[in-house]
Amino acid sequence: MKNNILLNLTVLLVCTSLWHPGLKGQTGVSGTDSPAALESAAPEITALKGAETIAVGNFINISSKNEFNYLESILPTALASSLSTKYKINIIKPKEIEKILKVKSLEKYTEQDLHNISSYIKSKYFVYGSFEPQKNNKIKTVIHVYKVSSSSIFTFTDEGFREVEIFSLIDRISTHIKNITNPAMVYKSENLKQNSRLAVLTNIQGEDLNRLYFEIMNKGHKLNSFQGSSIYNNIEKEDIDKLHYISSETASFRKIHDKNTIELYYGTWSGESHFKDIKEQQGIYEKYTLNYSIMDKKTFAAINKAAPDKIDYLLIIRFNKNKKKAWIRCVNLNTRSLIFSSAEIAGKSVNDVAQKILALISS
Amino acid sequence: MLYKKFTKNIILITVIPFFMLSCSTKKGLIHTSAKLPSQAKVGIVIDSPNNLKNAVLVTFMNEGFRVKAFNASDLYSMEDIYDIKDMKKISYKIKDKKASEVSAFEKAYDNIYKLHFYNYELNKASTLQQIRSNWDVDFLIVLDLKDWENVSWARVINLRTLDIEFIENYPTKYNDNIETIITHFAKNIISR
């Protein structure tokens, strides 16, 4: 009898572990699959942990108004303090970074110096930025978040009032940094508006694409035909990875290129046709490498007007092979701004992943 | 006795989830956004041999649709996707690079590809608008028919708004044929 009870208990426990969705191994933003967790998916963004260590660098005044130079020391110090006290992130302070980089003659650095700087900074992320005073007592900040030793950088802008209100701006920036430095690399600047019109670019097709569409339409959104007018999807996994990087008005995630790989030699020895050729190559590099962000913004404006009634948002979703994980970018096409980005959202199926994406963007 | 009970339970634990999983993968779905007018002027996109295409068109006509003389296998044009003439000018002079450094060339290459994906969809949007004006088609019906144990699906696009207005995934049954599947889709599209 005792054995029977024990056996039944064991079976019950095994059943529970098989069927309790919350006990299934999941990674990413989602955490658990239960309906209740789906409902509360959005607040989890703020509950994401940031990186263990972040180095905070310079914040440069890019305006000609020298009376605001005092913010060059206040902004990074306040940000370091906010990250440390609010999110318990170990900070390498701006003064320490300045000291280290001064020895290496790297006090003034740009994006191209980051790989070099990586050798001297013992943290997982390096944050630096710039600011510009605006009209109406406001200040615009541009913040760069660089994963040390990597080849990519996340940049976002935020605006707030100066003086007393500046600390709420700092808090917002530190929340963004904490979310971006999480392994799920989450960035969210605004909610997806209800009943808006969406266009979707993804690497799934046919019945799976219908599943994704189903969840979007069920939420009350209008769906532009975009990829939906084709039977087959021409964008494969490797292709959609080209859309991994994105540039927008307010935020961008981009590759850091090495300027030294551009070699366009010419001189008195080169003839007219060679010079013409060089100029053409220079134009291509300028358009597609150096100033590429202009192209992305132009494209977003074109997609916005691609239908008789404007398309409000572009969703780029890249599913993995078993379609249980996806990375996502969401662009507000009216403002050409990246409003949501995540490196990984996990679920049980295409429908589940889609539901989680919509819950995260909408709430 | 104890062993037998244990085995029975284990079998149940193993079989039931698999049974439920196999059912769930074949789940159908349907969503409609707006009513399709009766006798709507439609174009059909389906990738099938001509004799099967005819069977599809006739079935739609029998259900009251005004099927227009537009018959496409898909909306592809490889030239639209792989028109990468800019690449020929920068296809050389790449130095060896360190693991974490991205060459300017690589960045240009990826960005050009990226633009082609965006532009392809933009071209398709203008193609859809041409279909509406050139063939006098109001709705485009995109279909993919599958055998038993697979899922046939349909989408309806309103060519005035370019919005998707109907989607359905229909798990094909054992005794289904082209006519029964198309009749099923047609009835669902019409009865909205």
Side-chain angles (χ1 to χ4, degrees):
Chain A
M1 183 65 181
K2 250 186 186 179
N3 279 342
N4 262 347
I5 293 167
L6 259 175
L7 178 69
N8 285 333
L9 271 172
T10 318
V11 169
L12 192 71
L13 276 171
V14 175
C15 282
T16 314
S17 63
L18 265 173
W19 288 106
H20 193 291
L23 296 177
K24 275 181 80 178
Q26 292 281 334
T27 52
V29 185
S30 49
T32 156
D33 291 330
S34 69
L38 277 179
E39 292 286 311
S40 61
E44 276 186 70
I45 292 181
T46 48
L48 289 173
K49 279 185 179 173
E52 277 179 23
T53 316
I54 296 177
V56 181
N58 288 341
F59 272 69
I60 307 287
N61 176 12
I62 53 167
S63 77
S64 53
K65 296 169 185 167
N66 292 336
E67 65 270 30
F68 292 102
N69 283 354
Y70 70 96
L71 287 173
E72 287 190 347
S73 57
I74 287 180
L75 282 176
T77 312
L79 180 62
S81 163
S82 173
L83 285 166
S84 164
T85 52
K86 215 171 154 193
Y87 301 116
K88 312 291 173 224
I89 294 170
N90 296 319
I91 295 296
I92 303 179
K93 289 179 180 165
K95 289 276 175 209
E96 285 176 59
I97 294 293
E98 201 180 316
K99 215 165 129 186
I100 296 166
L101 296 181
K102 202 171 182 180
V103 177
K104 306 292 175 190
S105 306
L106 278 165
E107 305 102 305
K108 286 184 179 172
Y109 42 85
T110 65
E111 202 167 293
Q112 267 70 36
D113 298 312
L114 291 175
H115 191 252
N116 194 13
I117 286 176
S118 295
S119 341
Y120 312 119
I121 295 175
K122 302 280 176 263
S123 72
K124 205 160 184 187
Y125 285 87
F126 179 54
V127 173
Y128 67 105
S130 62
F131 65 89
E132 194 174 13
Q134 306 283 297
K135 287 174 190 168
N136 307 328
N137 207 26
K138 279 190 165 184
I139 180 168
K140 184 184 176 184
T141 53
V142 179
I143 297 98
H144 307 287
V145 183
Y146 170 65
K147 189 172 183 181
V148 172
S149 296
S150 77
S151 58
S152 50
I153 187 164
F154 197 102
T155 298
F156 65 94
T157 60
D158 206 337
E159 215 174 82
F161 287 99
R162 294 194 301 264
E163 294 156 13
V164 184
E165 293 288 319
I166 203 160
F167 291 101
S168 55
L169 171 68
I170 296 284
D171 276 351
R172 251 193 343 262
I173 293 172
S174 74
T175 305
H176 278 312
I177 292 171
K178 183 262 300 175
N179 289 339
I180 293 166
T181 57
N182 179 274
M185 212 189 79
V186 179
Y187 171 77
K188 185 181 178 184
S189 62
E190 64 180 63
N191 286 333
L192 192 82
K193 288 192 181 105
Q194 286 184 336
N195 305 321
S196 41
R197 180 172 278 103
L198 275 64
V200 180
L201 264 181
T202 181
N203 59 324
I204 55 172
Q205 62 177 351
E207 54 178 287
D208 285 324
L209 188 57
N210 269 9
R211 289 191 181 106
L212 174 63
Y213 286 169
F214 178 77
E215 298 300 337
I216 294 171
M217 291 164 92
N218 250 2
K219 280 275 177 191
H221 297 294
K222 295 181 190 81
L223 195 56
N224 178 267
S225 57
F226 234 53
Q227 283 178 315
S229 55
S230 295
I231 298 173
Y232 310 109
N233 189 349
N234 61 309
I235 300 185
E236 308 239 333
K237 248 189 356 242
E238 302 73 31
D239 301 323
I240 202 162
D241 282 340
K242 302 274 189 291
L243 307 179
H244 190 250
Y245 295 97
I246 196 158
S247 306
S248 78
E249 292 285 355
T250 51
S252 66
F253 181 43
R254 59 194 188 281
K255 277 183 179 180
I256 302 166
H257 62 271
D258 180 7
K259 264 185 184 169
N260 297 328
T261 54
I262 305 177
E263 291 180 338
L264 303 169
Y265 299 117
Y266 69 96
T268 45
W269 49 269
S270 58
E272 198 181 323
S273 75
H274 177 81
F275 185 72
K276 200 179 155 198
D277 203 34
I278 287 284
K279 287 300 276 182
E280 234 178 298
Q281 289 178 48
Q282 191 184 18
I284 291 165
Y285 278 121
E286 270 169 11
K287 194 172 171 186
Y288 298 113
T289 302
L290 305 175
N291 305 312
Y292 176 73
S293 62
I294 298 167
M295 299 298 289
D296 256 0
K297 287 171 208 163
K298 272 187 185 171
T299 309
F300 295 146
I303 296 171
N304 183 224
K305 293 173 195 154
D309 299 318
K310 282 185 176 176
I311 305 171
D312 303 307
Y313 298 96
L314 171 68
L315 282 177
I316 302 167
I317 307 172
R318 192 266 204 202
F319 283 88
N320 73 344
K321 202 175 176 183
N322 64 15
K323 294 158 201 153
K324 290 182 178 176
K325 281 180 190 170
W327 63 248
I328 174 173
R329 312 279 178 261
C330 179
V331 179
N332 181 334
L333 296 170
N334 296 315
T335 58
R336 293 165 299 281
S337 304
L338 179 71
I339 63 156
F340 183 82
S341 168
S342 174
E344 189 179 298
I345 292 177
K348 288 182 287 187
S349 60
V350 170
N351 295 70
D352 197 24
V353 172
Q355 282 173 17
K356 285 174 180 173
I357 289 171
L358 291 163
L360 282 165
I361 309 178
S362 309
S363 49
Chain B
M1 179 68 180
L2 185 68
Y3 175 76
K4 268 189 181 174
K5 263 195 174 178
F6 186 76
T7 319
K8 195 180 162 189
N9 282 327
I10 288 295
I11 289 169
L12 277 174
I13 292 162
T14 322
V15 169
I16 291 171
F18 275 111
F19 176 72
M20 290 181 80
L21 270 177
S22 63
C23 288
S24 65
T25 53
K26 296 286 177 294
K27 251 173 140 179
L29 59 84
I30 185 165
H31 186 96
T32 59
S33 295
K35 278 202 166 190
L36 202 76
S38 58
Q39 296 190 316
K41 291 180 269 186
V42 299
I44 314 282
V45 176
I46 184 165
D47 189 11
S48 298
N50 275 337
N51 53 339
L52 298 184
K53 265 181 200 167
N54 286 340
V56 170
L57 301 184
V58 166
T59 313
F60 270 108
M61 286 161 92
N62 287 342
E63 293 297 327
F65 288 94
R66 289 158 69 190
V67 182
K68 301 302 251 178
F70 167 80
N71 187 6
S73 295
D74 212 340
L75 295 175
Y76 280 125
S77 161
M78 291 305 276
E79 291 156 352
D80 291 334
I81 317 170
Y82 298 111
D83 176 18
I84 49 172
K85 57 180 185 283
D86 275 346
M87 297 306 295
K88 70 182 179 192
K89 290 286 180 190
I90 50 168
S91 59
Y92 56 97
K93 285 181 182 173
I94 309 169
K95 274 173 47 173
D96 287 340
K97 60 185 174 74
K98 290 172 200 163
S100 298
E101 288 177 335
V102 176
S103 74
F105 166 77
E106 195 181 327
K107 197 169 172 180
Y109 176 88
D110 284 353
N111 286 339
I112 289 171
Y113 252 88
K114 180 157 82 168
L115 286 175
H116 280 286
F117 294 128
Y118 288 141
N119 288 336
Y120 174 62
E121 294 303 329
L122 289 170
N123 285 341
K124 235 168 39 176
S126 82
T127 305
L128 290 178
Q129 281 164 329
Q130 278 171 30
I131 290 171
R132 185 178 176 237
S133 54
N134 295 355
W135 279 276
D136 189 25
V137 175
D138 291 330
F139 296 91
L140 197 69
I141 301 176
V142 186
L143 293 163
D144 196 13
L145 305 183
K146 295 281 173 64
D147 290 333
W148 174 53
E149 289 189 318
N150 293 301
V151 177
S152 298
W153 59 265
R155 280 177 215 136
V156 176
I157 296 159
N158 182 335
L159 293 183
R160 192 187 61 77
T161 59
L162 297 188
D163 284 346
I164 296 175
E165 296 203 333
F166 171 89
I167 50 166
E168 181 172 6
N169 279 0
Y170 171 70
T172 309
K173 291 176 190 153
Y174 177 69
N175 50 357
D176 266 329
N177 55 43
I178 289 184
E179 204 178 324
T180 59
I181 299 170
I182 297 299
T183 306
H184 169 90
F185 282 138
K187 283 193 188 308
N188 279 345
I189 293 167
I190 265 180
S191 65
R192 289 180 286 153

